[in-house]
C-alpha cells in the first residue's frame, strides 16, 4: 500500500513539473511573438492605441512609474508584469 501511494505521489509531482515546463515554454513563445509584433508595428510606423496614454507618459516623465503602471493596468486590464513592461517601453 505504501509503495502505491509513493508511486502516485511521484507521478503527480512529475506531472506538475511537466506542466510547469510546458507553460514556461509557451510563455517564452508568446513573449517572442509579442516582441516581433512590436518590431513590425514600429517598422510600419504604427503604434498600439493605449487608453490614457498621455496621462501614463506624463507620469513616467515625472518619475512616477508605480502610478503609471497602476493607470496602465486600470486602462487596459493588463496584469502587473505586462503593465510594467509596457510602461518601461513608453518611458
Amino acid at each position: 500500500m505504501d509503495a502505491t501511494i509513493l508511486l502516485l505521489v511521484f507521478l503527480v509531482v512529475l506531472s506538475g513539473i511537466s506542466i510547469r515546463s510546458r507553460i514556461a515554454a509557451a510563455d517564452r513563445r508568446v513573449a517572442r511573438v509579442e516582441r516581433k509584433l512590436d518590431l513590425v508595428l514600429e517598422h510600419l510606423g504604427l503604434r498600439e492605441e493605449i487608453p490614457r496614454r498621455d496621462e501614463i507618459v506624463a507620469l513616467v516623465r515625472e518619475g512616477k512609474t508605480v502610478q503609471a503602471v497602476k493607470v496602465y493596468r486600470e486602462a487596459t486590464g493588463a496584469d502587473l508584469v505586462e503593465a510594467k513592461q509596457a510602461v518601461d517601453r513608453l518611458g
Side-chain angles (χ1 to χ4, degrees):
M1 187 65 122
D2 290 333
T4 304
I5 293 174
L6 185 59
L7 179 61
L8 288 174
V9 168
F10 176 74
L11 290 174
V12 168
V13 169
L14 188 60
S15 296
I17 292 170
S18 175
I19 291 169
R20 180 176 288 164
S21 174
R22 289 179 186 187
I23 290 172
D27 286 345
R28 286 190 301 272
R29 284 192 302 270
V30 167
R32 191 169 54 243
V33 169
E34 287 178 342
R35 283 192 302 272
K36 289 178 180 181
L37 181 57
D38 287 341
L39 289 171
V40 169
L41 290 172
E42 182 180 333
H43 178 73
L44 295 173
L46 303 173
R47 72 175 189 190
E48 180 181 1
E49 190 60 38
I50 301 171
R52 299 170 67 181
R53 179 186 179 90
D54 294 338
E55 179 183 356
I56 295 166
V57 170
L59 287 168
V60 170
R61 288 185 180 148
E62 294 171 12
K64 298 179 179 178
T65 306
V66 174
Q67 286 119 328
V69 169
K70 182 179 177 185
V71 171
Y72 186 92
R73 290 186 72 195
E74 290 170 357
T76 64
D79 66 24
L80 182 60
V81 173
E82 181 183 352
K84 175 68 169 99
Q85 291 170 346
V87 166
D88 288 345
R89 285 191 303 265
L90 290 174

